[in-house]
Amino acid sequence: MATAAKTETETLSWKVGGMDCASCAAKIRGAVERLPGVSKVRLSVMSETLTLALDESRTRRDAIEKRVASLGYTTAAVAAKRAAELEAASSCGCTHDHGPADKAHDHARDHEHDHSACRGHGHDHAHDHGHDHTHGKASKAADHGHGLPGHVHEPTPDGVSWYQTGKGRLVLLTGALLGAAWLAKFTVSETVAYWAFVVACVIGVVLVARRALAAARVGQPFTIEMLMTIAATGALVIGAAEEAALVVFLFAVGEVLEGVAADRARASIRALGDLVPKTALVEENGETRQVDAAALKVGQIVLVRPGDRIPADGAISDGISGIDESPVTGESVPKTKGVGEQVYAGSVNREAALRVRVEKAAQDNTIARIIRLVEEAQEARAPTERFIDRFSRIYMPAIVGFAILVALVPPLAFGGEWSVWIYRALALLLIGCPCALVISVPASIAAALSTGARQGLLLKGGVVIEAAARTGVVAFDKTGTLTAGEPRVTEIVALGHDERKVVALAAAVETGSSHPLALAILARAKADGVPVRPAANAAALAGKGVTGELDGVAIFVGAPRHAKERASFDANALEAVERLETAGKTVAAVIADGALAGLIALRDEPREDAAAAIAELKALGIRSVMLTGDNARTGAAIAGSLGLEHKAELMPDDKVAAIKELAREAPVMMVGDGINDAPALAAANIGVAMGSGTDVALETADGAVLKSRVRDIVAMIRLARATMGNIRANIVIALGLKAVFLVTSVLGYTGLWVAILADTGATVLVTANALRLLRFNAGKAG
């Protein structure tokens, strides 16, 4: 029995510091998988965790830690309980941490709520929406967003800035030495400067070389660390210490920036959790008590006051209210919901008190699923490998092998002179030195990023540029992306009164409301110069509409189906309602003293440049598709006016599924602006956020159009394609020169000094070519 127990595997987990990219994870996986007794290895860059099953009778756990540390990463063991949770969530990279409630959370929630103060105010304008006439200010205080229960949200690394990390200190030290060396070069002597460059290079390359050798020992000899080590060492050997030091410094800077980018991506995951309140008011035996939202159990009843965020997925058991579901579905207008209807965690209760029966635990609610989708998509999407690393797998072994053959074969097989052929082999190695490529390819990327930033196009690195250049399908969110995200009055149908009178009546009862549709009606009144006087006795009827009196005239504004209960609709009115709703517009009927005064049509209209952008994408051979959480009728109307395909009524996971389906045909770029778009942004080959969007969308996305212009999506693709063309030209220039001088070196026509000149010349040429991107106008076709 003892022997059997000893051979059982145990699930272990570590936090891994410095694991900032997919290639880091690949190196760690390759290293630990070769150890006996190790199985089920899973790594998550987003949560910085390594989880595996280990038979300690074959390999001790400290051997795992030593192996990972040898690659240049730090490890911290996770408690056994947490390790089991990580194992359960490892398929998506999600970790769970059921911590205590936030004791400092809004003390007002500790008191029993007065339900009589929460009478619903609302009306239903086809999309079902409501008003908040009396609770607006009070509800602000009650609307708290905290970390999502069930997830770990500690900073990574814990409160440490980039310059306090080992990589950061290395960058600062080598940078200072480089600066001192250049200063010495111009003020002291070339000799002093040379040795300063040597010191800067050696200090920087030692740590890189250690990681390269560690990777080589576990069967991964041709890593980018090995490439950098060979390039720097070769440059020192030939006396090019300045070039060697600069290459090592730039490599270190790149690693630091990679870590900063990874930390920002992790911060975006934490921000998603802020949508769900950390505490909830549970109602039991007629009394309420505050509890940790993570501890909510299926079947419990929670009280959700006006302005509160809903703490769990569930169904309404009592009450009617307008629910703002934009964080979850992207629906541009709040929906009025009543008993039996589903509500989602993170949604905002806008009007009246609700009782909600919990149907899902904290770790399974809608926002938790969105977080898992983001993490899963980020981990599942294989980033494009660094070009130099990819190229070195074939190029470096070939050059080294060829140089060895040149040095050995002629003297041994044909009696050639050793000194001559060794000299030619050294020249060949110098020609084959990849320093020019190491410097010139990042130069193209840097120039493109600078150009994009000046033109309001943010691209998060070279991998993103490459992905954008391959785009074959662009999937757009609707609300806030193709549209401005704010409904506007598009048409007024006057029936019993003229247009100005219809607007005046509607605006009178909408005065004081903060609802998007009410604000749109008030904005139209202001634009038309219509005087607005507040109605007396204004009140909202939950789920139906809003009423009031003006100069003795009883006014009702609401959806046509509710207005028909108060006034008759003739054939013309019914036809107008049908026409407007078919066009995807929200229709508000205005009733005055029991007679239909007119209809007001509202819609979130497309951005001015949306249609032009879709046409330009088509000209580039790129397919456009709209993915929206809005209803099918609105989706069809907007898509039809812009001339693109569409899929409507999509939840966040539906958008992810749609992205994956589109990706089977061609690389997909997803463009969105809301939190609900975050999973789709992460799942696409490249995700782009509108600059006016949420922080989470901006952080999750691979890029952003900072001016929120749809045509900038086209500009971004043009810039990416131009950059990749520039990089291909650089490769041809660099390798073409090398090919020529490789032949001349082997034949003895060129020596060491020409080899150095050729390598330097290639660097100058490709860098100059890269700088041409600084003048590229991405917004201009052609």
Side-chain angles (χ1 to χ4, degrees), residues 174 177 196-206 232-233 235-236 241 244-246 248:
T174 54
L177 289 172
F197 284 125
V198 169
V199 171
C201 177
V202 170
I203 289 176
V205 85
V206 164
T233 303
L236 284 178
L246 180 59
V248 171

Side-chain angles (χ1 to χ4, degrees), residues 238-281:
I238 65 172
E242 182 176 355
E243 185 178 6
L246 180 59
V247 168
V248 171
F249 171 71
L250 292 175
F251 179 72
V253 170
E255 287 202 315
V256 168
L257 292 177
E258 195 171 62
V260 171
D263 285 343
R264 288 177 67 86
R266 293 176 189 124
S268 72
I269 303 298
R270 293 194 292 269
L272 282 170
D274 292 342
L275 291 173
V276 180
K278 201 163 190 177
T279 61
L281 290 174

Side-chain angles (χ1 to χ4, degrees), residues 291-383:
V291 301
D292 183 356
L296 288 174
K297 298 177 182 177
V298 175
Q300 285 186 312
I301 302 295
V302 294
L303 174 65
V304 185
R305 302 181 300 182
D308 288 356
R309 289 188 183 272
I310 296 171
D313 282 12
I316 298 174
S317 62
D318 181 47
I320 298 175
S321 183
I323 308 296
D324 180 2
E325 295 181 343
S326 57
V328 181
T329 67
E331 174 68 54
S332 54
V333 179
K335 293 181 178 178
T336 297
K337 292 193 173 185
V339 175
E341 294 189 88
Q342 297 292 313
V343 291
Y344 306 108
S347 300
V348 181
N349 178 19
R350 290 295 187 193
E351 304 169 15
L354 294 175
R355 290 178 179 82
V356 176
R357 182 181 299 276
V358 177
E359 293 188 343
K360 291 182 181 177
Q363 62 268 29
D364 296 321
N365 67 37
T366 303
I367 298 300
R369 293 202 312 274
I370 291 177
I371 290 174
R372 288 199 292 270
L373 283 168
V374 172
E375 290 177 330
E376 187 177 44
Q378 297 248 16
E379 299 306 325
R381 180 180 58 193

Side-chain angles (χ1 to χ4, degrees), residues 472-548:
V473 179
V474 177
F476 292 96
D477 172 50
K478 181 183 75 69
T479 306
T481 302
L482 288 174
T483 69
E486 298 178 357
R488 292 183 296 172
V489 174
T490 62
E491 187 175 346
I492 299 170
V493 179
L495 297 171
H497 296 274
D498 61 29
E499 289 188 7
R500 291 177 63 84
K501 184 64 174 179
V502 172
V503 172
L505 291 170
V509 294
E510 301 284 13
T511 300
S513 173
S514 60
H515 192 280
L517 297 185
L519 294 176
I521 291 173
L522 292 168
R524 179 58 180 261
K526 182 178 180 181
D528 290 350
V530 176
V532 177
R533 291 181 294 147
N537 303 319
L541 306 177
K544 292 187 176 182
V546 62
T547 61

Side-chain angles (χ1 to χ4, degrees), residues 636-713:
I638 296 294
S641 66
L642 296 177
L644 76 167
E645 304 169 48
H646 78 284
K647 295 184 179 182
E649 299 181 357
L650 301 179
M651 292 291 287
D653 48 353
D654 296 325
K655 288 188 179 182
V656 171
I659 290 292
K660 291 180 178 178
E661 182 181 343
L662 292 169
R664 297 192 189 104
E665 303 174 17
V668 178
M669 174 187 286
M670 173 68 194
V671 186
D673 77 311
I675 290 171
N676 60 294
D677 297 321
L681 290 170
N685 298 85
I686 173 174
V688 178
M690 301 298 280
S692 58
T694 63
D695 290 341
V696 172
L698 291 170
E699 293 294 345
T700 303
D702 301 299
V705 286
L706 302 182
K707 298 176 183 176
S708 295
R709 296 186 304 209
V710 184
R711 290 186 68 187
D712 280 353
I713 298 299

Side-chain angles (χ1 to χ4, degrees), residues 18-87:
M19 183 172 64
D20 298 326
C21 64
S23 62
C24 296
K27 278 186 284 190
I28 296 171
R29 181 189 300 278
V32 300
E33 279 182 335
R34 288 177 168 82
L35 293 172
V38 174
S39 60
K40 300 180 180 177
V41 179
R42 296 183 179 90
L43 293 109
S44 170
V45 176
M46 283 297 100
S47 57
E48 293 182 292
T49 54
L50 162 65
T51 303
L52 52 79
L54 179 65
D55 178 359
E56 288 201 74
S57 65
R58 303 179 65 189
T59 298
R60 294 175 56 85
R61 66 183 67 189
D62 59 355
I64 302 287
E65 296 171 355
K66 289 178 181 177
R67 175 63 63 89
V68 175
S70 72
L71 296 174
Y73 304 97
T74 61
T75 58
V78 176
K81 180 179 178 182
R82 286 284 312 286
E85 293 170 347
L86 286 167
E87 168 68 12

Side-chain angles (χ1 to χ4, degrees), residues 567-635:
S568 61
F569 281 55
D570 60 21
N572 289 335
L574 293 173
E575 181 182 348
V577 170
E578 177 66 21
R579 174 177 61 82
L580 295 171
E581 291 187 344
T582 300
K585 299 181 180 182
T586 296
V587 181
V590 181
I591 308 296
D593 276 341
L596 180 61
L599 304 171
I600 298 178
L602 307 95
R603 191 171 73 177
D604 184 11
E605 291 292 275
R607 294 180 187 269
E608 292 181 359
D609 65 337
I614 302 304
E616 289 180 24
L617 285 173
K618 186 176 181 180
L620 291 175
I622 297 173
R623 177 184 171 196
S624 300
V625 181
M626 184 180 77
L627 307 178
T628 178
D630 260 345
N631 64 74
R633 181 177 284 178
T634 300

